[in-house]
Amino acid sequence: MSVLVAIPVLLPLGAAGLSMAFGRFADVQRWLGLLVLGVIVVDATVLLHIADTRAPLVLHLGGWAAPVGIALVADRLAALLLLVSVVVMFAVLLYSIGQRITDYGRGTSSTTFHPIYLVLCAGVSLAYLTGDLFNLFVAFEIMLAASYVLITRRTTANRVRAGMTYTIVSLSSSVLFLTLIGLVYSATGTVNLADLAAETEKLPRALSTALALLMVIVFGVKSAMVPLHFWLPDSYPNAPAPITAIFAALLTKVGIYAMIRTQILVFDRGPSWRLMLVLALATMLVGALGALAQNDLNRLLSFLLVSHIGFMLFGLGVYDVAGLTGVILYIVHHITVQAALFLVSGLVTRYTGTVALSRMGGLVRISPLVAVLFALPALSLAGVPPFSGFVAKLALLQSGVGVGTGWAYVAAAGAVLTSLLTLYAVARVWTRVFWGRTRLPEGDPDPTDELVVGTGDTSRAMVHATGMLVCVTVLVAVLAGPLAAVSERAAEDLISGEAYRTAVLEGGGIGG
Amino acid sequence: MSSVNLTMAIVLGGLYATGFYLLLQRSLMRVLLGIVILGHGANLLLQQAGGAPAGRPPMLGEAPVQSMSDPLPQAMALTAIVITFALTTFLLALAYRAWQLLGHDEVQDDVEDRRIRRLESELSEGEAAENEQELDSEATR
């Protein structure tokens, strides 16, 4: 039974090697990728069902018991996020296969893309499922190493420049993470998350606070928290649309997930954490205001991504069951919506041949379908009812007001303001891109750069993949009731930490 | 809880300081060396996290438990070394490609950022239209 937990990590890694071996056979690579991701979707569904109805699944690798050995744990939170992430990865893979076939024909193979994409999947899965701090580091490195290659593939001067910033910032934060692990180990003598929870209580208050803050910095860089966000709007827009979509949807969310997991499970904290509320407020406002100044569609979406990281930090700062329920709902909503928006942006740039908003217009007459596909996730991002963003934002605001401290009110007010600014930003995109005089696609100024194609050719696979993701965002709103119930149970697990600890340390989980 | 001897503390501090100093430089090669030195510092710190080496290999039944070295930090440091090594290789390849494409190894600014910074002054001078074209040609896309 517990082997189910290892599948999302081991299967893509193995398949990546196989995919590399079949580099010359484009179709084999494509079907292999889709098949593997499909299997993981099914596996994640089963994991979520078992974790929700029975107990967390635990796999002790090599048979070594928890505090010493490596444990993979699938509790409600991990399984839920894994499921959403893999669904998005599946849709994005479909989109990028469609894009490849449209641009280069069916027979051409992109030897490196598929293996690296599968490695990225393994890294993301491991980050969700791992039960100790050092394997979290390994997961981040697997994920980031894959992302370095994806962001600098088909190198142009601009992509090398952006990739360099991204790589160096990520590597520096990884070194800091390693330092943190060293300090945690020398202070407590363990890196197992469940075990750490008991150990940090014995530490002097000052020391455990210092470790907690260092963790905020490390995961703050990964999740693009203001003031550590500067690398994101510079690097993400320079990658091709599907790659930006997958980065925006998953990499920052994994950072947030790691922050939630470590801060809540490991450290003992009083109600409502003021520092986190202030950081959340800054992140929301800086991101939203930054988005308003942009002329480049992808950069605008990247700034909105930064802004909405603030909402998740807000829920974490509130630090109670209601707040965490809001965060989990928000992560689920945001993973799907942000990926969908970047995929639509990829479709838009194919019709217009530019990423500059000032040179677009009248797209609604060329392709009404793209306009609809943009409108649904954009309204959801702004939190307009009845879309998924509204449900998640409402949960967060209720929790913020429920806490009732001064800073919680200020942050809640900031959240409302940010929602309005987001609405203004996407409305601006809408009027610039879809209304107005119709402009014909411009020729491609740099044919080696996949970012701007301007052919107007889109294949059914690309539109279907985007449509599928948009449907998922709508589905998140439709299923808001059961989803909120699962999120609430996951949040209760997080706050008490009891289920996680007994499952990992005392064999209370479903293992084997 | 374990303590570190003074020499080790000084070496660690030196490695981190040198690494961060190099990281802040303008030249890519120095940044890369900075990352490498920082990586060494972090690996040494991991080693130290296990406490002073007790000397005996960690094999059950070979020696009393108190005189065994802690194997976990060593395993972690080994993993970290392999990862740092792989990523350093990647960075070297990237730096080489930057050299090929750009002809120098300076870390460059983001053009779009500068563009937005200039936007305000341009608007006030009323020359927005002229400068827009100039900036468009400056931006690579």
Side-chain angles (χ1 to χ4, degrees):
Chain A
M1 186 74 113
S2 60
V3 78
L4 288 177
V5 189
I7 286 178
V9 183
L10 295 183
L11 187 65
L13 275 184
L18 207 59
S19 186
M20 200 71 158
F22 283 104
R24 285 170 172 277
F25 307 96
D27 275 338
V28 177
Q29 269 194 331
R30 286 169 191 148
W31 285 113
L32 184 69
L34 290 174
L35 180 74
V36 166
L37 288 174
V39 169
I40 301 174
V41 169
V42 174
D43 182 54
T45 317
V46 175
L47 281 181
L48 179 60
H49 179 73
I50 295 176
D52 192 35
T53 51
R54 291 165 65 190
L57 270 93
V58 183
L59 176 65
H60 297 290
L61 290 180
W64 291 85
V68 183
I70 297 169
L72 295 181
V73 192
D75 63 346
R76 289 188 177 111
L77 175 64
L80 178 63
L81 295 186
L82 181 68
L83 177 61
V84 181
S85 303
V86 181
V87 168
V88 171
M89 286 204 88
F90 184 86
V92 172
L93 183 63
L94 198 61
Y95 181 98
S96 60
I97 288 174
Q99 180 167 332
R100 178 86 198 177
I101 292 176
T102 318
D103 289 349
Y104 299 94
R106 178 168 280 278
T108 60
S109 60
S110 52
T111 320
T112 50
F113 173 78
H114 287 273
I116 293 167
Y117 195 80
L118 288 171
V119 170
L120 184 74
C121 176
V124 171
S125 310
L126 181 60
Y128 287 138
L129 295 173
T130 182
D132 68 85
L133 209 52
F134 189 76
N135 274 287
L136 191 58
F137 167 76
V138 175
F140 270 123
E141 291 309 305
I142 294 175
M143 192 175 83
L144 291 174
S147 72
Y148 301 152
V149 181
L150 286 178
I151 216 168
T152 54
R153 262 178 83 244
R154 305 189 166 269
T155 40
T156 57
N158 201 31
R159 211 168 275 177
V160 165
R161 182 195 61 72
M164 209 61 168
T165 319
Y166 175 68
T167 314
I168 289 168
V169 171
S170 303
L171 270 180
S172 324
S173 84
S174 296
V175 171
L176 197 60
F177 194 1
L178 206 54
T179 311
L180 169 75
I181 291 171
L183 294 177
V184 167
Y185 188 76
S186 75
T188 62
T190 179
V191 285
N192 187 292
L193 288 174
D195 202 21
L196 266 178
E199 293 292 330
T200 46
E201 281 171 15
K202 297 179 200 157
L203 292 180
R205 189 76 186 160
L207 185 56
S208 74
T209 309
L211 290 179
L213 286 181
L214 205 52
M215 273 190 204
V216 170
I217 294 175
V218 168
F219 298 130
V221 177
K222 313 271 189 208
S223 59
M225 170 183 82
V226 170
L228 304 167
H229 70 289
F230 54 89
W231 53 272
L232 190 146
D234 183 18
S235 55
Y236 280 14
N238 285 299
I243 292 174
T244 314
I246 207 68
F247 283 9
L250 298 185
L251 299 196
T252 47
K253 302 309 173 303
V254 172
I256 288 282
Y257 168 80
M259 202 183 294
I260 291 172
R261 184 64 95 195
T262 51
Q263 293 300 332
I264 292 179
L265 189 64
V266 174
F267 297 103
D268 185 28
R269 197 174 309 291
S272 161
W273 189 13
R274 197 183 309 153
L275 172 78
M276 193 53 91
L277 288 176
V278 174
L279 286 174
L281 186 66
T283 309
M284 287 190 275
L285 291 179
V286 169
L289 293 175
L292 293 182
Q294 303 300 321
N295 184 38
D296 177 329
L297 178 58
N298 285 332
R299 286 177 66 96
L300 188 147
L301 291 177
S302 301
F303 268 102
L304 284 182
L305 166 66
V306 172
S307 160
H308 286 246
I309 293 294
F311 283 94
M312 300 164 213
L313 295 176
F314 171 45
L316 179 59
V318 169
Y319 195 78
D320 61 3
V321 173
L324 287 173
T325 310
V327 179
I328 297 166
L329 276 175
Y330 206 90
I331 294 178
V332 171
H333 141 76
H334 200 253
I335 285 178
T336 54
V337 164
Q338 196 75 40
L341 275 178
F342 273 110
L343 290 188
V344 177
S345 145
L347 293 178
V348 167
T349 51
R350 292 180 80 83
Y351 281 111
T352 56
T354 174
V355 286
L357 289 175
S358 56
R359 279 186 259 156
M360 297 178 181
L363 198 60
V364 75
R365 278 186 286 278
I366 302 177
S367 176
L369 181 61
V370 172
V372 174
L373 288 181
F374 177 82
L376 292 177
L379 289 176
S380 179
L381 190 69
V384 175
F387 296 106
S388 57
F390 172 71
V391 181
K393 281 200 176 79
L394 190 67
L396 279 178
L397 287 177
Q398 276 177 341
S399 73
V401 174
V403 165
T405 59
W407 274 106
Y409 275 118
V410 174
V416 175
L417 182 62
T418 309
S419 301
L420 292 177
L421 288 174
T422 306
L423 188 59
Y424 175 64
V426 291
R428 195 167 140 261
V429 173
W430 177 267
T431 48
R432 285 279 174 84
V433 177
F434 295 102
W435 285 168
R437 191 161 49 87
T438 304
R439 302 197 190 204
L440 292 173
E442 295 174 19
D444 191 352
D446 181 7
T448 58
D449 191 354
E450 277 180 349
L451 192 57
V452 179
V453 183
T455 54
D457 287 342
T458 51
S459 63
R460 268 194 319 201
M462 293 168 76
V463 178
H464 281 180
T466 317
M468 177 180 147
L469 259 187
V470 173
C471 287
V472 172
T473 67
V474 175
L475 202 65
V476 170
V478 172
L479 293 178
L483 199 62
V486 175
S487 304
E488 192 166 359
R489 286 195 291 272
E492 277 162 7
D493 282 357
L494 268 176
I495 292 278
S496 83
E498 213 44 55
Y500 194 88
R501 252 166 258 161
T502 49
V504 176
L505 295 178
E506 292 153 28
I510 299 167
Chain B
M1 288 286 215
S2 57
S3 57
V4 184
N5 69 39
L6 186 63
T7 325
M8 249 345 163
I10 292 173
V11 170
L12 275 177
L15 281 175
Y16 271 91
T18 319
F20 273 115
Y21 175 73
L22 285 173
L23 202 60
L24 298 176
Q25 300 290 304
R26 197 71 176 163
S27 152
L28 262 181
M29 217 47 221
R30 293 187 186 193
V31 171
L32 207 153
L33 284 176
I35 295 262
V36 172
I37 291 176
L38 268 181
H40 282 314
N43 288 328
L44 197 59
L45 186 97
L46 265 186
Q47 281 291 300
Q48 288 304 306
R56 307 298 292 275
M59 307 242 184
L60 275 181
E62 293 285 306
V65 176
Q66 292 77 16
S67 65
M68 286 178 189
S69 298
D70 188 351
L72 200 54
Q74 301 185 11
M76 293 197 288
L78 185 61
T79 315
I81 286 169
V82 175
I83 290 172
T84 322
F85 184 57
L87 293 181
T88 308
T89 320
F90 179 76
L91 260 186
L92 273 171
L94 201 58
Y96 178 65
R97 182 52 72 87
W99 174 270
Q100 271 187 330
L101 285 171
L102 307 168
H104 58 79
D105 79 332
E106 287 223 330
V107 178
Q108 289 182 302
D109 288 336
D110 186 4
V111 181
E112 195 73 20
D113 263 1
R114 275 193 287 156
R115 185 190 171 101
I116 286 170
R117 215 175 301 149
R118 275 194 229 160
L119 212 61
E120 192 187 8
S121 55
E122 280 161 21
L123 287 176
S124 59
E125 285 163 22
E127 303 168 341
E130 292 167 38
N131 283 338
E132 185 71 11
Q133 281 180 336
E134 184 192 319
L135 276 166
D136 276 348
S137 58
E138 193 177 325
T140 42
R141 52 189 147 83

